[in-house]
Amino acid sequence: MGSSEDERGLRKVARVVLLDPRDRILLLHGHEPDDPADDWWFTPGGGLEGAETREEAALRELAEETGITDVDLGPVLWRRRCSFPFAGRRWDQDEWYYLARTARTDIAATGLTELERRTVAGARWWTCRELTRAHETVYPTRLAELLRTLLVEGPPARPVTLDTEIV
């Protein structure tokens, strides 16, 4: 078992709920490598590499996928187990979602992997209202509700475990 997997064989993933000064959340637009019509929106983040911590992975992935490095990484908001098909294989993940804020809203995805370059179509800042009204697929699926709760109540005292999602 590599350090990027936990004792259950799940890929350890750190994701970032990145908010700008207007409380908009940054989401990336992804799709299957060979089917751009099979698309969804998701938070920046990815799997741990080597011996890095989840916090280190969150900051590294955010920098690679957005170019944004000047953030204060906050607490873990949510934890989620998920399983989904992507790029010809099944991914089983244990995801931790960290809160972060930034004053910078311009995006420069300069550190994408080859697979990410083929499957990430862009990024967009969303208001809670826009997310609530969206007809697109968004992961985690309750993100609009989770974001609304976060903006009204602030971060939870301890991470909230979300329902397991199997796609």
Side-chain angles (χ1 to χ4, degrees):
M1 176 178 80
S3 62
S4 62
E5 289 184 356
D6 69 11
E7 62 282 352
R8 298 161 294 180
L10 295 171
R11 180 174 180 244
K12 293 181 190 175
V13 171
R15 299 206 161 280
V16 180
V17 175
L18 185 65
L19 302 179
D20 75 359
R22 294 170 44 201
D23 284 337
R24 295 181 304 171
I25 185 172
L26 181 69
L27 297 180
L28 304 180
H29 190 204
H31 59 81
E32 272 292 330
D34 301 317
D35 185 5
D38 183 1
D39 68 329
W40 56 90
W41 293 88
F42 62 102
T43 58
L48 277 63
E49 292 180 358
E52 72 184 347
T53 66
R54 287 197 197 246
E55 292 85 357
E56 290 165 343
L59 293 171
R60 176 185 50 76
E61 287 282 342
L62 186 64
E64 290 172 358
E65 295 174 347
T66 70
I68 295 174
T69 56
D70 185 22
V71 298
D72 292 322
L73 196 63
V76 178
L77 301 171
W78 316 309
R79 291 181 60 174
R80 175 181 83 133
R81 287 179 62 175
C82 60
S83 179
F84 55 91
F86 174 68
R89 63 167 275 212
R90 178 152 287 275
W91 302 74
D92 298 305
Q93 301 191 156
D94 176 27
E95 301 182 335
W96 291 19
Y97 289 78
Y98 288 86
L99 175 61
R101 289 197 169 267
T102 184
R104 185 177 149 194
T105 56
D106 57 312
I107 307 303
T110 56
L112 297 182
T113 65
E114 190 272 333
L115 178 59
E116 288 169 335
R117 281 193 296 276
R118 289 177 27 226
T119 59
V120 176
R124 177 181 159 197
W125 292 95
W126 295 73
T127 66
C128 193
R129 178 182 295 247
E130 289 168 338
L131 205 51
T132 300
R133 295 178 175 174
H135 295 290
E136 292 95 337
T137 301
V138 176
Y139 293 110
T141 53
R142 292 176 44 228
L143 186 57
E145 173 190 337
L146 293 164
L147 179 60
R148 188 178 322 105
T149 300
L150 172 65
L151 295 177
V152 170
E153 300 176 7
R158 62 178 83 35
V160 174
T161 301
L162 306 181
D163 292 338
T164 298
E165 289 192 54
I166 301 175
V167 179

